[in-house]
């Protein structure tokens, strides 16, 4: 158990809908990362938050947004869902996240999203 | 742009045989390099990381990796495979800007261990 929790574990929805994925980092970790794992794109970095502020952005679609709350949990919002958004979404956390990737990132078990 | 290439999407070895998973990276600055393992229906777990100290890095579960700058490689090895090693393995490189924790992952290699 990494200490990172993600809810829900599974999510099935229809095209055009909106969903919210939730992540609670390890106690004391200030950075939260979101990654998308799909068969065609592999494991891709989406976005990083550090202590409530956006720190880095990857290949995140405009239909997707995220935020980190004062209690440090994070939510990833996916809207206008398309079939191609079906994937496993991972959240990870680290203590700081400013050290050029030097810190270990601890991954949650993921949320599996299926868009029908 | 930075990238990671893992040669071989599937590797099959017999139990007790040497495990060799290949990873090559491209980066304009000295990178930090990582190997993660993903067991079925689980998140990723860090096996080991290279942070510019010793070029031979030892990790958990008997795995090790050697950083070779001249070859831009960071191959993962284990002398003797165990059935429990069957999983997907990801090589990753840190963001070269140095200001974020962003990781860039390879496509992954599925390791099959045959009895």
């Amino acid at each position: 158990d990494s200490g990172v929790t993600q809810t829900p574990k599974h999510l099935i929805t229809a095209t055009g809908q909106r969903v919210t994925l939730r992540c609670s980092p390890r106690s004391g970790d200030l950075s939260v990362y979101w990654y998308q794992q799909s068969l065609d794109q592999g494991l891709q970095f989406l976005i990083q938050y550090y202590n409530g502020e956006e720190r880095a952005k990857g290949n995140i679609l405009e239909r997707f947004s995220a935020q980190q709350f004062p209690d440090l949990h994070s939510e990833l919002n996916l809207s206008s869902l398309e079939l191609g958004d079906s994937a496993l979404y991972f959240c990870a956390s680290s203590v700081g996240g400013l050290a050029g990737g030097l810190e270990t990132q601890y991954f949650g078990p993921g949320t599996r999203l299926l868009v029908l | 742009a930075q990238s990671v290439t893992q040669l071989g999407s599937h590797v099959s070895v017999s139990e007790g045989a040497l495990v060799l998973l290949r990873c090559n990276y491209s980066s304009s600055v000295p990178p930090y390099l990582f190997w993660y393992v993903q067991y079925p229906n689980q998140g990723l777990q860090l096996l080991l990381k290279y942070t510019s100290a010793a070029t031979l890095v030892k990790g958990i579960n008997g795995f090790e990796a050697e950083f070779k700058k001249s070859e831009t490689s960071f191959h993962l090895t284990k002398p003797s495979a165990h059935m429990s090693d069957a999983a997907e393995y990801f090589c990753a490189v840190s963001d070269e800007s140095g200001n974020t924790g962003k990781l860039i992952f390879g496509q992954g290699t599925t390791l099959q261990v045959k009895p």
Side-chain angles (χ1 to χ4, degrees), chain B:
Chain B
Q2 287 180 289
S3 66
V4 176
T5 302
Q6 291 183 239
L7 299 175
S9 58
H10 287 84
V11 170
S12 181
V13 301
S14 298
E15 192 174 17
L18 171 72
V19 175
L20 171 60
L21 304 182
R22 300 178 187 273
C23 172
N24 288 89
Y25 69 92
S26 70
S27 179
S28 60
V29 300
Y32 298 137
L33 293 159
F34 308 80
W35 275 99
Y36 279 84
V37 61
Q38 183 181 21
Y39 297 103
N41 300 313
Q42 295 187 28
L44 280 72
Q45 179 184 6
L46 181 68
L47 275 177
L48 50 80
K49 63 182 177 183
Y50 167 75
T51 58
S52 74
T55 56
L56 183 62
V57 182
K58 294 188 184 299
I60 62 172
N61 301 337
F63 284 94
E64 62 182 36
E66 185 172 10
F67 173 69
K68 291 188 177 181
K69 184 179 178 180
S70 61
E71 299 177 7
T72 60
S73 69
F74 190 56
H75 300 332
L76 181 71
T77 61
K78 181 173 180 178
S80 176
H82 191 273
M83 296 296 292
S84 61
D85 294 327
E88 190 160 17
Y89 292 80
F90 292 91
C91 181
V93 64
S94 58
D95 176 28
E96 62 189 4
S97 72
N99 294 325
T100 79
K102 172 183 175 181
L103 294 178
I104 298 153
F105 284 89
Q107 287 293 97
T109 297
T110 299
L111 175 65
Q112 180 188 22
V113 182
K114 298 177 291 185

